[in-house]
Amino acid sequence: MKPTIRTLSLQELAVLVDWAAAEGWNPGLEDAAMFQAADPEGFIGAFVGNEMVAAVSAVAYGSEFGFIGLYICRPDMRGKGYGKAVWNAGMTRLAGRTIGLDGVAEQQANYRSKGFRPAYETIRYSGRTAGPAVNADGLRTVTTELVPDIIAYDTHCFPGPRRAFLHRWLQAPHHGLAAISSRGTTGYAVARPCRSGFKIGPLFADDLKIALQLLDGLAGTCGSGDLHIDVPADNIGFIAALESGGFAPTFATTRMYKGPAPKLGPQRLFGVTTLELG
């Protein structure tokens, strides 16, 4: 049966996030509302009758960059072409942009066949570190007054504008910290409560010392449970610090792009925002 392809409502996006949880992806507790803020039209479902059978996120960040994620077909509906239908709809929506995704090893050949090329490997590290007080070493809890400076800093770290997303992503129940010096904002990081523990992302900082301060600061504000952070594999110094602190690798993906790779330097990237939205 030919599916109906349309934009997901918030309630339907919440169902997709539940599907992600069933796949073992450990989404955040408020991901549906937070994700929708990035691009309300960017979540697409295939429906047979009134039942959603497959879905994908195809989030546009301005006119030059987009990101594919949350690509799931309901297990009992696989092999019927519904996944392909939403994939094609997502790619059509983002046409003309550089498109990114995070691919697991078993899907990378498939993505290569669709024109995606690998840029770097991302390794998820999980563990726990005892954090200092939030105000240590220039760390400040993110408040409304700090958000404009954080959005400005983010433009040096992420390849597309995402003002509306950050306004929502920096709100409770997420924990946000900014590193502030006489130079202004020198980094920021967010931890979000998930089905298990907390995921940290993004973690952007001018240097390794600031990144570690932000990580420790977030650990001091989060409740019990492991912290999870997706780190570019070539960030050797940060990985060494994580491993010496007891963090261990638990999962890996590869960032891939169709079209010219973003020209942003990787030096500020210590933790990816999310594998679903880039």
Side-chain angles (χ1 to χ4, degrees):
M1 182 181 296
K2 185 176 180 179
T4 299
I5 307 296
R6 63 170 174 79
T7 302
L8 301 185
S9 69
L10 178 58
Q11 293 74 22
E12 289 160 348
L13 178 51
V15 172
L16 177 56
V17 171
D18 285 340
W19 287 3
E23 295 288 329
W25 296 359
N26 189 29
L29 300 182
E30 299 293 331
D31 274 2
M34 299 283 183
F35 285 1
Q36 193 183 54
D39 182 357
E41 305 298 317
F43 300 87
I44 301 167
F47 292 80
V48 174
N50 294 322
E51 292 190 26
M52 185 167 72
V53 296
V56 70
S57 60
V59 171
Y61 296 103
S63 61
E64 297 184 0
F65 184 66
F67 204 85
I68 291 283
L70 283 172
Y71 180 35
I72 305 175
C73 186
R74 213 171 73 188
D76 62 317
M77 290 292 181
R78 291 173 183 170
K80 302 177 184 293
Y82 301 138
K84 182 179 180 180
V86 291
W87 171 273
N88 289 342
M91 293 297 290
T92 298
R93 183 170 193 273
L94 298 180
R97 299 171 174 84
T98 288
I99 303 173
L101 59 78
D102 287 306
V104 295
E106 56 267 28
Q107 288 297 325
Q108 286 169 29
N110 179 38
Y111 294 137
R112 281 178 180 270
S113 73
K114 299 178 187 300
F116 287 82
R117 297 293 177 261
Y120 58 85
E121 185 183 9
T122 298
I123 305 172
R124 177 168 298 165
Y125 276 85
S126 301
R128 190 76 195 191
T129 179
V134 170
N135 61 359
D137 299 312
L139 299 188
R140 291 178 57 186
T141 300
V142 172
T143 60
T144 302
E145 293 75 20
L146 292 179
V147 170
D149 287 341
I150 290 173
I151 290 173
Y153 186 86
D154 190 76
T155 64
H156 301 293
C157 307
F158 191 81
R162 51 179 187 170
R163 178 182 299 270
F165 169 72
L166 288 176
H167 270 288
R168 194 66 188 264
W169 197 249
L170 293 165
Q171 292 182 17
H174 293 187
H175 304 273
L177 288 181
I180 309 294
S181 75
S182 59
R183 308 193 308 273
T185 301
T186 58
Y188 84 95
V190 178
R192 77 192 201 268
C194 293
R195 308 291 175 100
S196 174
F198 293 79
K199 285 183 179 175
I200 293 177
L203 175 47
F204 298 147
D206 283 0
D207 57 43
L208 175 60
K209 179 181 178 181
I210 295 168
L212 291 172
Q213 289 172 340
L214 286 164
L215 176 66
D216 286 346
L218 283 177
T221 66
C222 293
S224 60
D226 279 348
L227 307 178
H228 311 281
I229 182 168
D230 295 302
V231 184
D234 58 1
N235 201 325
I236 298 171
F238 189 53
I239 285 174
L242 289 172
E243 291 180 345
S244 68
F247 281 71
T250 56
F251 184 63
T253 59
T254 295
R255 174 61 59 89
M256 306 179 77
Y257 294 110
K258 182 174 183 179
K263 291 182 168 53
L264 289 171
Q267 65 272 13
R268 290 188 175 97
L269 176 55
F270 291 87
V272 173
T273 306
T274 82
L275 299 184
E276 295 85 2
L277 301 189

